[in-house]
Amino acid sequence: MATPSEINSVQKEALENIVYRLGAMVGFDMGGPINKTAVLVATSLMVQDGSRLMGPVAAAIPIAPLGCALTSTVFSRKLFTKQEQSLGWNAWLLGFMGISESAIPFAVRDTWRTIVANVIGSAVAGALAFGFGVLGHVGAWGSFIIALFGGVTNIDGSYIGILWYAVAIIIGTVVQSIIYTSLLLQNQGLYRSSILMLLNKIGIKTKNKKKKIILIYE
C-alpha cells in the first residue's frame, strides 16, 4: 500500500502535468471556449486539489491583455497606430480586472503572432504560480483584484502567496511582451536592425559580415 507521502508525490506530479496545459489553454483564445474550458476544469477541482490548479490558472488569465498592453504602449508602441495604442491603454485596465477579451483586437490585427505570445506567456505565469505554491480561492476568475481582497494565498495558508501571485503575473506579462515584440519586429523586417541598435546602446560594437552579426569586444 502506498504511503501518504507517495500519494502526495503522485498527485503533485499529475497536477504539474496538467498546469502547463491549462495555462496555455487560458492564453489561446482570450475568453473563448478553450479558455473557458481550462477555467472550468480548475474551478471544478478546487475542492479535490485544494485550489492548487486555480491559483496558476488565475495567474494565467490576465497575461494576454497585460502583455498586449505592455507591447503596444511601452515596448513597441511605434509599431502600433494611435488607435491601437489607445486599445493598449484599455487593455491595461481590463487586464488588471482579469478580462482577457481585451486582447482580442490585437489578435484580430495579427492573429498567430499574438496567440503564440499569449500561450507561452500564460503557460509561464501558470507554471511559476504553481511552483511558488499559489492557491486560488476564487473560482472562474483571475486578476490583481482577487489578490487585493485575499483571494490567493500560499500553500501554507499565508498571504505571502499574494506576492508570488503578482510576481508570476509580472514575469508572464514580460515574457509575452518580449515574444510578441520579437515576432512583430521579425514580421516587419526590423528584428535584425533592432538587435544591432540594442547591442550598440549597451556598449557592444557590431559589424555586418555576410549577413551575420559579429560582436566586437574591446
Side-chain angles (χ1 to χ4, degrees):
M1 181 178 293
T3 64
S5 61
E6 290 174 335
I7 294 174
N8 289 335
S9 177
V10 172
Q11 289 176 338
K12 183 179 179 180
E13 184 177 350
L15 291 176
E16 287 175 349
N17 291 332
I18 296 173
V19 72
Y20 307 109
R21 294 173 174 83
L22 292 181
M25 290 170 65
V26 166
F28 183 77
D29 57 356
M30 296 149 283
I34 296 177
N35 171 292
K36 291 293 190 290
T37 299
V39 174
L40 177 62
V41 169
T43 302
S44 63
L45 292 175
M46 287 177 65
V47 175
Q48 289 87 345
D49 69 4
S51 299
R52 289 300 306 276
L53 289 178
M54 194 62 237
V57 167
I61 287 174
I63 299 303
L66 293 178
C68 290
L70 181 61
T71 303
S72 60
T73 62
V74 180
F75 280 178
S76 302
R77 61 183 181 275
K78 292 182 179 179
L79 299 178
F80 296 85
T81 65
K82 293 294 184 182
Q83 182 179 3
E84 290 167 341
Q85 289 177 22
S86 68
L87 291 173
W89 291 112
N90 289 335
W92 277 118
L93 174 61
L94 296 176
F96 185 86
M97 296 169 61
I99 302 175
S100 55
E101 288 85 350
S102 55
I104 291 176
F106 298 94
V108 172
R109 176 184 187 267
D110 198 329
T111 303
W112 290 109
R113 291 178 180 84
T114 306
I115 289 176
V116 167
N118 289 347
V119 166
I120 296 174
S122 298
V124 168
L128 288 173
F130 184 83
F132 293 151
V134 174
L135 305 182
H137 304 294
V138 179
W141 193 21
S143 69
F144 282 106
I145 295 176
I146 65 172
L148 293 176
F149 290 94
V152 294
T153 62
N154 203 35
I155 195 169
D156 60 3
S158 68
Y159 286 106
I160 191 67
I162 295 175
L163 172 63
W164 295 126
Y165 177 74
V167 168
I169 292 177
I170 291 170
I171 293 176
T173 299
V174 172
V175 168
Q176 191 277 1
S177 187
I178 290 173
I179 295 172
Y180 190 25
T181 297
S182 299
L183 293 174
L184 291 175
L185 290 172
Q186 186 180 43
N187 182 50
Q188 298 193 21
L190 300 173
Y191 185 77
R192 178 185 176 82
S193 60
S194 299
I195 293 296
L196 289 170
M197 185 183 300
L198 177 61
L199 291 173
N200 289 328
K201 279 187 176 181
I202 62 177
I204 300 177
K205 295 182 178 180
T206 62
K207 66 179 182 179
N208 295 327
K209 186 176 181 180
K210 295 181 180 180
K211 297 184 178 181
K212 295 180 179 180
I213 298 175
I214 299 177
L215 304 182
I216 303 174
Y217 297 94
E218 294 181 344

